[in-house]
């Protein structure tokens, strides 16, 4: 499998606090990689740096062999990187159809893309996440689960190669969580995306991820197959503390 | 189209009534004022949506357009057609130079910055009094229309101002129904998310800001030729900004059709207050408007929208 993302020694400071310290990782095409760690481990900061929301203090980020360290987020999106948010951030004043249409219009460049084409394509993504019936509902009027579905549809409509799913389970009940897991699995199959899944819930990553990376205090402490990582003493210590 | 018809019929009706009752012709000045207030508020709606921020100093661009037209007309005898091009060019240049403000600042800082520029411009007109003629302003600007008949002149100005307003209204309506509106709406809602899904947020902001500044500058051009004079002391202070702000808020923020309702409401309310309360009107005017804003937080257009879907962008026509 070809390498799709390569992060080399990236560091991010917020004043005196080092949120991410010299983290390196690589993701291969078609993989589902889990990124886990306790609160404040630096998972979201790392994703923010890869997506371009935060500038990198030092280090290098390469996507499909191209250095994207200095690229703005919208250019990274056009290359094929997209994300969902830990706390859903829908466009509250837009309908769900219009929200997804923005991605279809301005995501990855498609030849001769018209507004009508984008609308048609947007309905397809809404159908996929089960929100077609709510296509004319304002995003702010959706439930939490529906908002997460909308975020996934919005991200998929940009036609990404790599998608970051940030703590999709947060706030969902077990039935909704199960649906969300299936939805992401199905997105991977249908759209051929590579997934970097940030998650607190270990059980989910054990099932869904092929490889897990663990961060603690901004540093990478473990990487490997889920079962191996779950038994890693450093990982257990980071989650449960030292006895 | 029926509403456009009403807007066209009103000046004609006032003109005809003035044959029977001559003082009625003064109502045309209110119609012109209403059209111009709406013509300032409509581009301001575009600026607000595309930048996701409220600009508190649109009168700066009225100053740019007005002074550009007045200076060229007085000193170089440039005809009004060309002064309009110069005013628009001034709007483009200054709008483009100022537009990064919407990128580097936000919230209170953006509001304060935009509020500050017209006041700085006003100060500059006092400092460079040889050029701008400070307090008195520039007079002797060539008129747009000169029929030799006062009433007919006013009627012509009413129709020119109405044309400007309607052109702005239909142009904005077209923009707000296009693919560009959807990215502006996304920027307005959450610019970080918009950026992450491929929208070049800075470009959207700069283009929206510059277009709006240009359109407002053209209104400044009209003011200069309509009054045949232009003084920063009338258009640049906070009192004029308050009027525009009230048109925007009463009409319904970001509602282009609401701007027209707001413009007419404010122009005629001001006239009624001056007639009824005289010297007290400058105090009563903002108080009444503040009360109206409290009662109607979504503006006058909000009353209509409450019965319809609560989407502030004009409903998209595409339904598949």
């Amino acid at each position: 499998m070809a390498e799709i993302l390569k992060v080399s020694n990236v560091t991010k400071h917020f004043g005196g606090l080092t949120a991410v310290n010299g983290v390196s990782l690589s993701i291969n095409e078609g993989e589902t990689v889990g990124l886990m760690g306790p609160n404040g481990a630096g998972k979201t900061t790392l994703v923010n740096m890869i997506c371009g929301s935060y500038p990198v203090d030092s280090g290098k980020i390469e996507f499909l062999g191209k250095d994207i360290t200095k690229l703005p987020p919208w250019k990274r999106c056009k290359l094929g990187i997209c994300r969902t948010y830990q706390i859903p951030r829908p466009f509250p004043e837009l309908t769900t159809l219009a929200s997804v249409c923005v991605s279809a219009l301005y995501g990855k460049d498609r030849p001769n893309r018209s507004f009508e084409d984008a609308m048609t394509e947007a309905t397809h993504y809404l159908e996929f996440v089960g929100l077609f019936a709510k296509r004319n509902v304002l995003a702010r009027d959706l439930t939490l689960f529906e908002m997460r579905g909308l975020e996934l549809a919005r991200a998929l409509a940009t036609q990404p190669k790599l998608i970051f799913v940030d703590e999709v389970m947060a706030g969902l009940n077990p039935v909704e969580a199960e649906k969300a897991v299936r939805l992401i699995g199905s997105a991977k199959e249908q759209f051929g995306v590579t997934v970097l899944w940030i998650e607190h819930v270990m059980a989910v990553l054990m099932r869904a991820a092929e490889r897990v990376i663990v961060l603690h205090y901004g540093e990478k402490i473990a990487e490997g197959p889920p079962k191996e990582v779950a038994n890693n003493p450093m990982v257990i210590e980071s989650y449960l503390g030292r006895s | 189209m029926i509403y456009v018809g009403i807007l066209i019929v009103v000046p004609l009706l006032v003109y005809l009534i003035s044959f029977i009752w001559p003082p009625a012709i003064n109502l045309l000045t209110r119609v012109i004022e209403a059209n111009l207030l709406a013509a300032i508020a409509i581009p301001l709606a575009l600026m607000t949506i595309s930048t996701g921020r409220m600009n508190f100093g649109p009168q700066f661009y009225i100053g740019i357009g007005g002074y550009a037209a007045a200076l060229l007309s007085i000193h170089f005898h440039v005809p009004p057609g060309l002064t309009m091009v110069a005013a628009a060019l001034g709007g483009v240049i200054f709008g483009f130079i100022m537009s990064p403000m919407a990128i580097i600042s936000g919230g209170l800082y953006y509001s304060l910055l935009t509020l500050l520029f017209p006041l700085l411009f006003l100060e500059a007109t006092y400092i460079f009094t040889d050029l701008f003629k400070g307090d008195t302003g520039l007079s002797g600007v060539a008129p747009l229309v000169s029929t030799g008949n006062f009433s007919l002149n006013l009627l012509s100005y009413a129709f020119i101002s109405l044309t400007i307003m309607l052109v702005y209204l239909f142009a904005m309506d077209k923009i707000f129904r296009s693919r560009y509106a959807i990215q502006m709406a996304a920027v307005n809602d959450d610019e970080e998310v918009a950026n992450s899904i491929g929208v070049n947020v800075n470009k959207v902001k700069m283009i929206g800001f510059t277009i709006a500044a240009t359109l407002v500058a053209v209104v400044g051009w009209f003011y200069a030729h309509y009054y045949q004079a232009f003084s920063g002391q009338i258009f640049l202070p906070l009192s004029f900004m308050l009027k525009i702000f009230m048109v925007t808020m009463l009409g319904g923020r970001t509602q282009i059709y609401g701007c027209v309702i707001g413009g007419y409401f404010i122009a005629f309310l001001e006239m009624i207050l001056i007639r009824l309360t005289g010297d007290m009107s400058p105090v009563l005017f903002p108080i009444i408007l503040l009360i109206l804003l409290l009662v109607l937080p979504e503006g006058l257009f909000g009353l209509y929208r409450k019965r319809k879907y609560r989407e502030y962008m004009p409903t998209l026509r595409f339904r598949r």
Side-chain angles (χ1 to χ4, degrees):
Chain A
M1 281 188 293
E3 191 178 61
I4 192 167
L5 179 79
K6 187 180 177 189
V7 177
S8 316
N9 286 314
V10 292
T11 300
K12 181 72 192 169
H13 303 281
F14 294 109
L17 177 84
T18 306
V20 175
N21 191 11
V23 171
S24 298
L25 59 92
S26 76
I27 298 173
N28 296 322
E29 209 170 340
E31 254 189 324
T32 300
V33 178
L35 182 64
M36 50 188 273
N39 279 332
K43 308 181 293 289
T44 303
T45 305
L46 180 64
V47 170
N48 279 335
M49 283 194 288
I50 298 170
C51 292
S53 302
Y54 292 163
V56 175
D57 288 346
S58 66
K60 192 177 174 187
I61 302 166
E62 287 168 273
F63 182 69
L64 294 168
K66 187 183 174 186
D67 186 357
I68 59 161
T69 317
K70 304 274 181 202
L71 283 187
W74 65 274
K75 278 192 179 169
R76 296 185 198 208
C77 173
K78 286 191 189 296
L79 283 175
I81 297 178
C82 206
R83 66 176 295 184
T84 67
Y85 290 86
Q86 188 176 349
I87 298 163
R89 288 171 71 172
F91 297 125
E93 305 288 341
L94 287 181
T95 59
T96 55
L97 181 63
S99 302
V100 181
C101 183
V102 181
S103 297
L105 270 173
Y106 296 98
K108 196 178 175 199
D109 286 331
R110 279 154 264 195
N112 305 319
R113 168 50 43 87
S114 71
F115 197 9
E116 293 88 337
D117 288 342
M119 279 286 182
T120 315
E121 196 175 322
T123 57
H124 169 64
Y125 291 106
L126 282 178
E127 270 176 16
F128 173 74
V129 296
L131 284 175
F132 182 73
K134 296 207 169 182
R135 64 194 178 280
N136 291 328
V137 174
L138 289 186
R140 66 177 174 204
D141 295 335
L142 298 176
T143 64
L144 179 68
F145 177 68
E146 286 167 343
M147 279 187 196
R148 291 205 184 280
L150 175 64
E151 287 220 325
L152 185 64
R154 197 174 61 186
L156 289 171
T158 64
Q159 291 196 346
K161 290 190 175 79
L162 173 64
I163 189 167
F164 295 92
V165 183
D166 200 348
E167 294 194 21
V168 74
M169 300 296 157
L172 301 185
N173 65 39
V175 179
E176 289 170 339
E178 183 57 35
K179 274 190 202 168
V181 173
R182 263 188 272 143
L183 200 60
I184 293 165
S186 147
K188 197 185 160 195
E189 272 174 32
Q190 285 196 36
F191 301 106
V193 288
T194 305
V195 180
L196 180 71
W197 194 327
I198 304 150
E199 194 55 73
H200 266 312
V201 186
M202 274 182 109
V204 173
L205 288 185
M206 292 298 129
R207 199 152 53 104
E210 290 145 28
R211 186 159 58 94
V212 174
I213 296 164
V214 187
L215 293 185
H216 188 46
Y217 288 125
E219 290 180 7
K220 189 166 90 174
I221 56 167
E223 182 176 354
K227 277 187 184 161
E228 194 180 291
V229 167
N231 295 320
N232 186 316
M234 282 177 80
V235 175
I236 295 166
E237 190 186 312
S238 74
Y239 268 89
L240 302 174
R242 197 174 295 182
S243 57
Chain B
M1 283 320 277
I2 192 162
Y3 300 110
V4 176
I6 293 169
L7 289 174
I8 293 169
V9 165
V10 166
L12 278 175
L13 213 63
V14 172
Y15 181 68
L16 292 174
I17 291 170
S18 73
F19 285 114
I20 308 158
W21 186 51
I25 198 72
N26 292 324
L27 282 176
L28 277 183
T29 59
R30 287 293 96 196
V31 171
I32 296 167
E33 182 68 10
N35 288 336
L36 294 178
L37 285 176
I40 298 164
I42 291 166
L44 194 61
L46 172 77
M47 198 185 269
T48 308
I49 293 177
S50 62
T51 59
R53 293 155 169 77
M54 185 73 194
N55 189 323
F56 280 87
Q59 73 273 36
F60 177 78
Y61 304 98
I62 297 174
I64 297 289
Y67 274 117
L71 287 169
L72 286 172
S73 178
I74 294 165
H75 296 298
F76 302 101
H77 306 291
V78 178
L82 287 179
T83 55
M84 187 177 82
V85 177
L89 206 64
V92 171
I93 293 166
F94 278 88
F96 187 73
I97 292 169
M98 298 290 190
S99 60
M101 245 187 338
I103 298 167
I104 57 172
S105 64
L108 186 63
Y109 296 102
Y110 178 77
S111 302
L112 283 174
L113 273 175
T114 51
L115 192 68
L116 207 63
F117 278 103
L119 302 178
L120 286 174
F121 192 10
L122 184 61
E123 283 301 314
T125 63
Y126 294 134
I127 295 165
F128 303 103
T129 195
D130 289 344
L131 184 66
F132 298 112
K133 299 285 179 243
D135 281 338
T136 52
L138 298 161
S139 55
V141 183
L144 274 182
V145 190
S146 183
T147 59
N149 180 325
F150 175 69
S151 304
L152 209 57
N153 278 356
L154 269 186
L155 185 68
S156 311
Y157 279 118
F159 277 117
I160 297 170
S161 62
L162 181 66
T163 309
I164 293 175
M165 190 267 280
L166 287 178
V167 166
Y168 285 9
L169 189 68
F170 292 129
M172 288 307 142
D173 185 82
K174 203 84 181 153
I175 291 174
F176 285 164
R177 288 183 196 282
S178 72
R179 57 188 289 172
Y180 303 106
I182 214 163
Q183 63 172 339
M184 284 193 281
V187 171
N188 190 31
D189 270 3
D190 193 329
E191 55 189 73
E192 195 189 322
V193 175
N195 208 359
S196 78
I197 57 170
V199 177
N200 186 347
V201 174
N202 294 352
K203 190 175 150 190
V204 172
K205 284 182 183 177
M206 287 178 79
I207 291 174
F209 194 103
T210 309
I211 291 174
T214 309
L215 298 181
V216 175
V218 172
V219 178
W221 160 84
F222 182 86
Y223 271 124
H225 288 284
Y226 167 50
Y227 289 123
Q228 295 170 47
F230 194 84
S231 170
Q233 215 180 12
I234 296 170
F235 298 104
L236 294 174
L238 292 177
S239 52
F240 191 74
M241 187 281 293
L242 183 75
K243 224 192 291 185
I244 302 166
F245 178 65
M246 288 300 177
V247 171
T248 314
M249 297 306 284
L250 261 182
R253 197 177 73 94
T254 71
Q255 289 289 356
I256 51 169
Y257 295 101
C259 293
V260 182
I261 301 168
Y264 274 81
F265 188 85
I266 297 291
F268 281 91
L269 179 71
E270 198 183 17
M271 183 193 75
I272 292 164
L273 278 180
I274 290 169
R275 291 278 160 89
L276 293 180
T277 61
D279 290 345
M280 282 297 285
S281 65
V283 182
L284 283 175
F285 184 59
I287 292 174
I288 290 174
L289 291 175
L290 280 174
I291 293 167
L292 277 173
L293 281 182
L294 279 174
V295 180
L296 301 167
E298 285 186 57
L300 292 167
F301 202 71
L303 287 177
Y304 165 75
R305 294 300 286 183
K306 259 184 192 168
R307 292 176 164 274
K308 298 268 175 178
Y309 201 61
R310 284 158 61 212
E311 189 186 4
Y312 69 75
M313 296 292 289
T315 310
L316 294 161
R317 293 294 181 209
F318 300 93
R319 294 278 181 264
R320 300 261 173 154

